[in-house]
Amino acid sequence: MSKYEIENVKLTAPKLDRNDLEYAMTYRYACKKFDSNKTISEEDWNAILRAARLAPTSLGFEPFELLVIQNPEIREKMKAHGWGGIHAGLEASHFVVFLTRKKVDLEFDSPYVRYIQETVKQLPAEIDAVYREKYAQFTKEDYKTFESERAAFDWSSKQAYIVMANMMTMAAYEGLDSCPLEGFNQDDMTALLGDELGLFDTKHFGIAVMAAFGYRDEEPHRNKTRRTLDEIVTVVE
């Protein structure tokens, strides 16, 4: 249990050393070889999960779920539908499949969105009505997320990537390693985990991305490389 609670608590502005976080983010890299003999402690893993829970999502709809695959037999089956880093990632302490909701669950009157608005957020009816109006504009005119099933799923998947980034940053802050993974066939992996093994309902969820968490069993092949700030930032005054 975290010493911080997110409901009904007034928090003061953090007074932390930014250099610690920047160091952790510099330390982080996409680990390609994990030590299969080391396991993340329950305390550290729960902190990573809490980072997922605290991640921002568009409209606060939280259209994601985490499927943590610890079963070695299932991991072995997954290798047939992945390539590249996924094989090394499946040797890590913890392996996460990020599920995101499909269009059927993103409609404003869907049972899921109603649950978020009424039970999780406990919004008054007048505020919920404002959400309804703005969401209709957002989905049909602005971002056009309801233009197709794929558009809705892509928008939902963006939220999962935010969640994954939060988890990876927390892992780095704890001195742990991670690797985001897109090297897999979505259809085949969905057929395995969803249809064959029944780990999720494929009518409501799809696989957005995966990530491995654990301890590195290698040194990074080279120093972190990035473009300069001048190359990536344009200030318009």
Side-chain angles (χ1 to χ4, degrees):
M1 175 70 69
S2 169
K3 64 179 179 179
Y4 305 109
E5 294 295 336
I6 64 175
E7 291 89 2
N8 302 318
V9 174
K10 182 181 176 70
L11 299 176
T12 59
K15 291 185 172 67
L16 306 174
D17 189 338
R18 71 172 67 91
N19 293 315
D20 290 340
L21 180 57
E22 185 173 346
Y23 181 87
M25 296 179 75
T26 303
Y27 174 81
R28 186 214 62 78
Y29 81 110
C31 183
K32 299 300 188 297
K33 185 179 180 182
F34 289 90
D35 188 337
S36 59
N37 296 312
K38 290 185 177 180
T39 302
I40 297 173
S41 71
E42 182 178 2
E43 181 181 3
D44 287 346
W45 181 245
N46 283 336
I48 293 172
L49 293 180
R50 289 195 297 273
R53 181 177 180 235
L54 292 171
T57 58
S58 183
L59 298 165
F61 280 176
E62 303 180 47
F64 72 92
E65 288 191 9
L66 308 178
L67 194 59
V68 185
I69 307 294
Q70 299 301 87
N71 184 298
E73 294 180 0
I74 295 177
R75 286 192 183 190
E76 190 63 31
K77 290 181 178 180
M78 291 172 67
K79 290 180 180 179
H81 308 303
W83 50 272
I86 193 172
H87 290 262
L90 287 166
E91 300 299 321
S93 171
H94 288 67
F95 193 90
V96 180
V97 177
F98 292 82
L99 304 177
T100 50
R101 293 185 179 270
K102 295 184 175 180
K103 187 173 181 289
V104 64
D105 285 344
L106 302 176
E107 298 281 358
F108 201 76
D109 287 321
S110 72
Y112 176 73
V113 172
R114 289 293 88 218
Y115 166 72
I116 290 292
Q117 297 291 88
E118 297 170 7
T119 303
V120 178
K121 295 182 181 181
Q122 299 183 10
L123 294 179
E126 62 271 19
I127 301 299
D128 185 58
V130 173
Y131 264 86
R132 179 184 297 275
E133 179 182 351
K134 294 299 183 184
Y135 191 52
Q137 177 182 326
F138 177 82
T139 56
K140 297 175 182 178
E141 300 175 19
D142 296 339
Y143 269 65
K144 299 180 180 179
T145 53
F146 283 179
E147 193 171 52
S148 66
E149 292 286 344
R150 182 69 198 201
F153 179 72
D154 285 348
W155 173 76
S156 186
S157 294
K158 290 177 183 178
Q159 318 315 313
Y161 276 74
I162 297 173
V163 174
M164 180 175 67
N166 260 33
M167 294 176 69
M168 292 168 60
T169 299
M170 177 61 83
Y173 201 84
E174 296 182 311
L176 302 171
D177 295 291
S178 62
C179 185
L181 298 162
E182 295 180 314
F184 61 95
N185 184 290
Q186 282 187 317
D187 291 339
D188 292 343
M189 197 69 78
T190 297
L192 171 65
L193 300 180
D195 299 326
E196 180 181 336
L197 298 178
L199 299 181
F200 65 93
D201 187 343
T202 58
K203 293 182 180 179
H204 294 270
F205 289 96
I207 301 174
V209 66
M210 302 179 178
F213 296 86
Y215 293 86
R216 66 183 68 179
D217 191 23
E218 62 177 1
E219 289 298 321
H221 302 302
R222 60 180 181 176
N223 293 330
K224 189 181 292 292
T225 58
R226 292 291 190 274
R227 291 179 292 156
T228 66
L229 284 175
D230 287 341
E231 290 180 284
I232 66 173
V233 178
T234 299
V235 179
V236 181
E237 296 180 336

